Amino acid sequence: MAPRKSASKTTSSNVSKDELLAYYKDMLLIRRFEEKAGQLYGMGLIGGFCHLYIGQEAVVVGLEAATKEGDKRITSYRDHGHMLACGMDANGVMAELTGREGGYSKGKGGSMHMFSKEKHFYGGHGIVGAQVPLGAGLAFSDKYKGNDNVTFAYFGDGAANQGQVYETYNMAELWDLPIVFVIENNQYAMGTSVQRSTKSPSLWERGAAYGIEGEEVDGMDVLAVKDAGERAVAYCRAGKGPYILEVKTYRYRGHSMSDPAKYRTREEVQKMREERDPIEAVRSILLTGGHASEDDLKAIDKDIKAVVNESAEFAKTSPEPALEELWTDIYA
Amino acid sequence: MATEILMPALSPTMEEGTLAKWNVKEGDTVTAGDIIAEIETDKATMEFEAVDEGIVGKILIEEGTEGVKVNTPIAIFVEEGESTDDLSAASAPAEAAPAAEATHESAPAAAKPAAPVEVVSKASPDFPEGTEMKQQTVREALRDAMAEEMRRDETVFLMGEEVAEYQGAYKISQGMLDEFGSKRVIDTPITEHGFAGIATGAAFGGLKPIVEFMTFNFAMQAIDHLINSAAKTLYMSGGQMGAPMVFRGPNGAAARVGAQHSQDYAAWYAQIPGLKVVMPYSAADYKGLMKTAIRDPNPVIFLENEILYGKSFEVPVLDEFTIPFGKARIWREGTDVTIVSFGIGMTYALEAADKLAEEGISAEVIDLRTLRPIDYDTVLASVMKTNRCVTVEEGWPVASIGNHLSATIMQRAFDYLDAPVINCTGKDVPMPYAANLEKLALVTTDEVVAACKEVTYR
């Protein structure tokens, strides 16, 4: 039952052109969508809290590549990327950000609270760490029903210090729940770096105390994430219990829109962007491997921009919810 | 195409800001992500990044300008070969959100006082007259209710500390492990926050969990999931998914267990939209309401009482016995004063009514049974008849259920009142251990009698 360290870095040699293009498109959609969301926030069309996923795109895109129909996912309030990656409609997500009737929650949830039963996306939770036991409950429901679905519960390095995470580790292993705990370690819990919040050398290794297997993954490498995701899913589907992936990633933007990000240097962010950007990495494989030309990629960029612009347009023109909506959906 | 760069909102509360510094000048080429300016908000100084590439065609607001309103154009970006002179049709500023249609302006108001004449009591018998009855304790009635519902619906399961092999810390789940097996009667580690969250997630996933808290005092470790996860998800998801489940366990003071194990949470949970809250008194109500709670598609807080567990009542012998939420029970009809209570408070209310009868005061006693929804009409109809009201509960006096009822009666039946409503509650102190002090801290029958005499001016 000894946990193990991450497998060696993956290469692109065994990945098809179609897969590479799909990852490129999916990651680019998230980035452009988030940039647009930032823009709409600046225009006052999005209110309250808005947490962008820029820089972390490879995590959800890589892991979604390892899922099958029926698998579930649940995450925190930094959730736009997860929704787009599992196939939720950009229009519905953007319209929820602007609080409109066409949003996934009819405008009543907002950036942090969206759900899709159809895509098995269970939120969208605003209390740090709460999604972890909730995710284990989803896995519990699948095990109870006797199917082979797996749940992905995403949480950050900040949530990894919440007590309920460890209460959940204990029960998930005790009951062999089919859940992948995905620690998206973007190195900052709001403004507090991992080094300033724990002396644990790594977060995934804490699972060993409960007998849970896991590994560390390079979250800026979508292929490495996908490989690790496949190992984790195979383990869970085989009925062996939970699995932990600590995915090392990086958020380029502030914690939320109102974060001046004084806790890290501009150079640190710039260095990650220039040297480790997950989208640039795939772009480079596509170009050097002869899978796509500059023109091909420009065409993709253009298509994605169109999707994002359409979502922004939809989010601006969709009406605000009817006032009667204040009183609906409180009780089933 | 030229693009106007607008003064951004950089925090949820920002309406205007200072354009502290430009990091670019006219003619500079900018790529997405470049810091083009520094802006002081009401919270901090923020770096303002370019979203798209372009050339800085014109700077419209000089650095150092204070009080720049959000959405004011501050610069114009152009594309290669374009000049700011061609800018007559630069993009329009952000359109305002389309206003909600005027026809919606009369949304239902929560606290709109209804005309008193509309008050009709919903209280009615829970089962037909002549139904066969048997003596049962609250403990047995609860177990029967859960077992019957588990036989009826495979997705119902029970989880909690000591519910399975130990047969329940208070023996409520006695025999259930034998009948349903360890898949459906599940012992948890002592980890309320965690298992309340897991049960809520299981409800999202389509199961119908019954979570036993050994006592509701321990549910404070888990209350975030009861409120933020279970109660709010249906609303936050626009009606897509909710948590059909029951959180149950003993609530309120037992006997001599001290401050941390003696607390009534009725008023706490009754405040939360999205929850249903039940606090029964008799065994029949425990049974009928627990069956309703398990079948209800919403999260239900089911507040039991350790002292009542061993008390016996008549319970109807029926295959299918449920009691709807939001329906009070009139235990005793009377004409001089209305006593409203629920849960163990009913013990004092009924004792007081007996004593008052000896002195010629006729008290009507109402058991609310459910606190969300509350059967206001049965209370109001009674108060309109007796013109006086005393409420009885074991919880603390501040922001109590009695306070809420008093306000409702004042709003909807003010002209019928011949005396101020009196709230009999537990005292405003943590529960002491010493026997004499504990007795003093709880509400007593004598206090209820005294309050009834006060409102009837006897």
Side-chain angles (χ1 to χ4, degrees), chain A residues 202-248:
Chain A
S202 79
L203 301 175
W204 70 273
E205 285 181 325
R206 294 178 184 180
Y210 304 87
I212 305 180
E213 294 230 21
E215 60 183 277
E216 182 183 302
V217 191
D218 178 0
M220 305 309 266
D221 177 350
V222 70
L223 302 177
V225 175
K226 183 208 161 209
D227 282 357
E230 283 175 345
R231 280 192 293 279
V233 163
Y235 186 91
C236 294
R237 260 201 244 296
K240 294 180 184 170
Y243 198 91
I244 299 172
L245 295 177
E246 179 181 354
V247 189
K248 289 287 190 63

Side-chain angles (χ1 to χ4, degrees), chain B residues 397-416:
Chain B
V398 178
S400 62
I401 297 289
N403 288 173
H404 172 65
L405 287 176
S406 306
T408 305
I409 294 166
M410 194 160 62
Q411 278 185 326
R412 295 182 60 186
F414 187 75
D415 290 341
Y416 293 85

Side-chain angles (χ1 to χ4, degrees), chain B residues 22 24 47 53 58 73 76 105 112 130 134 183 191 228 245 247 270 284 299 311 313 329 342 414 419 436 441:
Chain B
W22 277 110
V24 292
E47 292 173 337
E53 62 277 343
K58 199 170 179 61
I76 294 167
E105 68 196 3
K112 194 178 266 182
K134 66 173 173 186
K183 183 191 170 188
T191 175
N228 272 317
M245 63 194 304
F247 295 100
K311 206 169 159 171
F313 294 83
R329 174 174 175 188
F342 50 91
F414 187 75
N436 63 332

Side-chain angles (χ1 to χ4, degrees), chain B residues 166-197:
Chain B
Y166 194 90
Q167 307 291 323
Y170 295 100
K171 298 287 176 275
I172 304 300
S173 53
Q174 183 112 43
M176 288 178 66
L177 174 65
D178 283 347
E179 179 174 355
F180 300 104
S182 58
K183 183 191 170 188
R184 299 181 68 196
V185 181
I186 303 161
D187 279 327
T188 66
I190 303 174
T191 175
E192 285 85 3
H193 196 183
F195 71 69

Side-chain angles (χ1 to χ4, degrees), chain A residues 3 31 60 67 86 100 105 138 145 187 220 281 291 300 308:
Chain A
R31 178 148 315 171
V60 287
T67 62
C86 74
R100 304 302 172 87
S105 299
L138 293 167
K145 292 173 193 163
Q187 303 179 41
M220 305 309 266
H291 300 301
I300 291 173
V308 168

